[in-house]
Amino acid sequence: MKKFQPTLASIPSLDKLSIENNTYVERTADLSRRKFIKIASASLAVLSFPGLTTTNTSVINSVPDKTTDKGNNPKIIWVLLRGALDSLHTVVPTFETQYQVLRPNLSTSFKTPVLPLNHSFALHPSLVNLHQWYQEKQLLPVVAVSSGYSRRSHFDGQDFLESGNGKIDYDSGWLARAIDVKNKRALAVARSTPISLRSSENVNTWYPSTLKSADNDIYQSLLALYQDDELLRTNLESALEVKGVIGNQSNKNKQQRGIFAALSKACAKLLTAEKGADCAMLELGGWDTHNNQANRLSKKLTELDTGLAELKAGLGAEWKNTVVIIGTEFGRTAKENGTGGTDHGTGSAMFLAGGALNGGRVLGQWPGLADNQLFEQRDLMPTTNSFSWIANVLVQQWKFSHEELFQVFPHLTAYDEKLLIS
């Protein structure tokens, strides 16, 4: 037997990872013995509980013992896209003549044809797997949505979206309240518990400790800030090259895509373990595209698409019992800016995916892109609320009553739209 010490290269080898007595362990090469070892030491990926003090050699072994009925275990997976996805470059309104007027460069930047959904909308060509799911009725894009957050701060916008109670709240998240109401368990694929899952004791976190953060939004924001100052920009770029942040960008992009795919695969593996959780949260940063948006979004959407495909493959038969909710803190300006990007906006898009869905439709109300149809004459006007769609998922997937839903979202009701097959 040997200790499991995950590295980027080792993560795909999840067939060697199993669970025993609520602790993740590596299966030895000698399968006849059927013995496993517990994960320990600082370099190991471990489960952790908020508020639970651990040492580098601790083995967390206190997951609630709950027998999983795989035949009736509807799962919810929440994927948060940090940085504000540009929905108009992702779910493209092909029928809108104003789209080309507002975005003369971005609208012609697609290297291959967009992927048609219906007579009005198409997906970015990088979303090949999501497009296939749409055709298989396993995807529901929702256009022109917003959490209700009215300002333009990434951090506050993400907190608002994660808390789900109509204000910035660091102590309680909507998914945490949901699992407490239904006595379910959650897994956060993160270094620490995200706000979405804070306030519940039924949350585990997991992340391979040898992986660096995939989020380079801070550096990209600084580059955008310094774009008009040649000296500052040159110095920053030189420093980042030394740091390896933008040097050899091709290899870096491949590595980042590999990280999210590996984490998604690991998430699926942990969810489908014998005593796996009922839901999970994944995060993917890098969506703050103030400049060079065409190239950057093409890579990010490929990363997202590939990772979600790994998630589906890893879930296997559980995919039919699963709903994946994919959202972002806010949208971006309808008009492209002078550096090939877009700035912070309001209305965006969200996706619902999974084998449990009655998909193959584009949901939401389209507000139009004429000047008098835009929010503050600059942003896509939100016409539906992200939380009411999420509430709808809770009602249909986890059978929330009106009274139970009030404990999660006290300020709203669920939309009356049939989202699931049954």
Side-chain angles (χ1 to χ4, degrees):
M1 295 184 291
K2 60 182 181 179
K3 293 181 178 180
F4 174 61
Q5 294 182 318
T7 63
L8 179 60
S10 71
I11 292 178
S13 302
L14 288 168
D15 57 330
K16 297 180 180 179
L17 185 63
S18 186
I19 188 168
E20 182 181 60
N21 295 328
N22 302 319
T23 302
Y24 289 93
V25 297
E26 184 190 22
R27 189 176 299 127
T28 63
D30 182 4
L31 295 179
S32 65
R33 291 184 296 166
R34 309 298 298 173
K35 294 181 179 179
F36 303 92
I37 60 173
K38 297 179 178 179
I39 296 175
S41 89
S43 62
L44 304 186
V46 297
L47 294 171
S48 64
F49 287 79
L52 179 64
T53 301
T54 64
T55 66
N56 287 343
T57 56
S58 296
V59 176
I60 310 303
N61 193 21
S62 56
V63 181
D65 188 7
K66 177 183 177 183
T67 301
T68 299
D69 179 2
K70 288 194 172 184
N72 183 24
N73 185 27
K75 297 185 184 300
I76 292 177
I77 301 174
W78 164 233
V79 181
L80 175 55
L81 307 182
R82 299 189 185 276
L85 166 72
D86 180 17
S87 64
L88 294 178
H89 204 82
T90 305
V91 185
V92 181
T94 52
F95 68 105
E96 270 278 9
T97 56
Q98 187 69 4
Y99 184 74
Q100 287 76 23
V101 175
L102 294 170
R103 300 182 167 210
N105 297 306
L106 289 177
S107 65
T108 59
S109 66
F110 302 105
K111 295 179 180 179
T112 56
V114 294
L115 306 171
L117 297 174
N118 55 26
H119 64 282
S120 300
F121 296 96
L123 288 181
H124 188 285
S126 296
L127 298 174
V128 291
N129 288 299
L130 268 63
H131 185 247
Q132 180 178 344
W133 296 355
Y134 182 89
Q135 295 173 315
E136 296 170 350
K137 301 188 183 305
Q138 297 179 358
L139 180 74
L140 288 168
V142 187
V143 298
V145 298
S146 167
S147 67
Y149 174 71
S150 59
R151 304 181 69 179
R152 305 182 191 280
S153 163
H154 287 299
F155 301 111
D156 287 351
Q158 290 169 22
D159 290 354
F160 192 95
L161 179 62
E162 292 194 73
S163 69
N165 60 8
K167 59 183 179 181
I168 307 301
D169 188 341
Y170 295 89
D171 298 326
S172 176
W174 66 264
L175 188 52
R177 298 191 295 274
I179 64 173
D180 279 352
V181 168
K182 289 295 189 181
N183 191 29
K184 294 182 179 293
R185 298 181 303 150
L187 167 71
V189 183
R191 296 178 185 277
S192 60
T193 306
I195 293 174
S196 297
L197 285 167
R198 290 183 189 173
S199 76
S200 174
E201 295 183 352
N202 294 325
V203 178
N204 303 323
T205 63
W206 179 89
Y207 198 87
S209 59
T210 53
L211 291 185
K212 295 180 180 179
S213 171
D215 193 349
N216 66 351
D217 280 353
I218 292 178
Y219 301 121
Q220 294 297 339
S221 297
L222 286 174
L223 285 170
L225 181 65
Y226 294 164
Q227 61 188 341
D228 296 325
D229 189 314
E230 183 176 355
L231 179 60
L232 286 176
R233 179 174 52 79
T234 301
N235 288 340
L236 177 60
E237 288 178 349
S238 298
L240 292 178
E241 286 177 356
V242 172
K243 185 177 173 59
V245 171
I246 64 174
N248 199 0
Q249 191 66 36
S250 176
N251 288 339
K252 180 175 176 59
N253 289 330
K254 291 179 181 177
Q255 184 184 43
Q256 298 291 11
R257 289 197 294 272
I259 289 174
F260 183 67
L263 293 176
S264 298
K265 186 174 183 179
C267 177
K269 177 70 175 180
L270 299 177
L271 282 177
T272 54
E274 183 177 355
K275 297 177 181 178
D278 305 292
C279 69
M281 178 178 176
L282 285 160
E283 305 169 68
L284 180 58
W287 303 93
D288 195 14
T289 51
H290 288 281
N291 53 38
N292 192 25
Q293 176 171 298
N295 290 332
R296 293 175 60 193
L297 264 192
S298 179
K299 294 167 184 172
K300 292 304 300 182
L301 290 171
T302 298
E303 182 180 6
L304 174 66
D305 190 69
T306 303
L308 293 175
E310 288 287 353
L311 184 67
K312 177 183 177 181
L315 287 172
E318 285 297 320
W319 177 252
K320 69 178 184 300
N321 300 318
T322 300
V323 174
V324 184
I325 307 169
I326 305 153
T328 189
E329 66 261 33
F330 48 70
R332 309 193 71 83
T333 50
K335 185 178 181 181
E336 66 185 29
N337 63 26
T339 56
T342 52
D343 301 318
H344 298 182
T346 306
S348 188
M350 64 183 296
F351 294 95
L352 303 176
L357 284 178
N358 176 28
R361 298 167 288 151
V362 177
L363 301 179
Q365 302 170 18
W366 185 248
L369 293 179
D371 286 347
N372 61 355
Q373 295 171 321
L374 297 176
F375 177 71
E376 296 183 345
Q377 296 187 320
R378 53 166 280 168
D379 303 339
L380 180 66
M381 178 74 76
T383 55
T384 58
N385 189 290
S386 307
F387 295 127
S388 287
W389 291 112
I390 294 172
N392 194 335
V393 172
L394 294 180
V395 169
Q396 296 186 42
Q397 181 74 339
W398 281 355
K399 310 303 180 187
F400 268 68
S401 67
H402 176 78
E403 291 74 19
E404 290 172 332
L405 191 61
F406 184 79
Q407 299 178 52
V408 181
F409 298 123
H411 58 292
L412 55 80
T413 57
Y415 289 132
D416 184 18
E417 176 79 34
K418 180 175 172 54
L419 300 178
L420 305 189
I421 296 173
S422 58

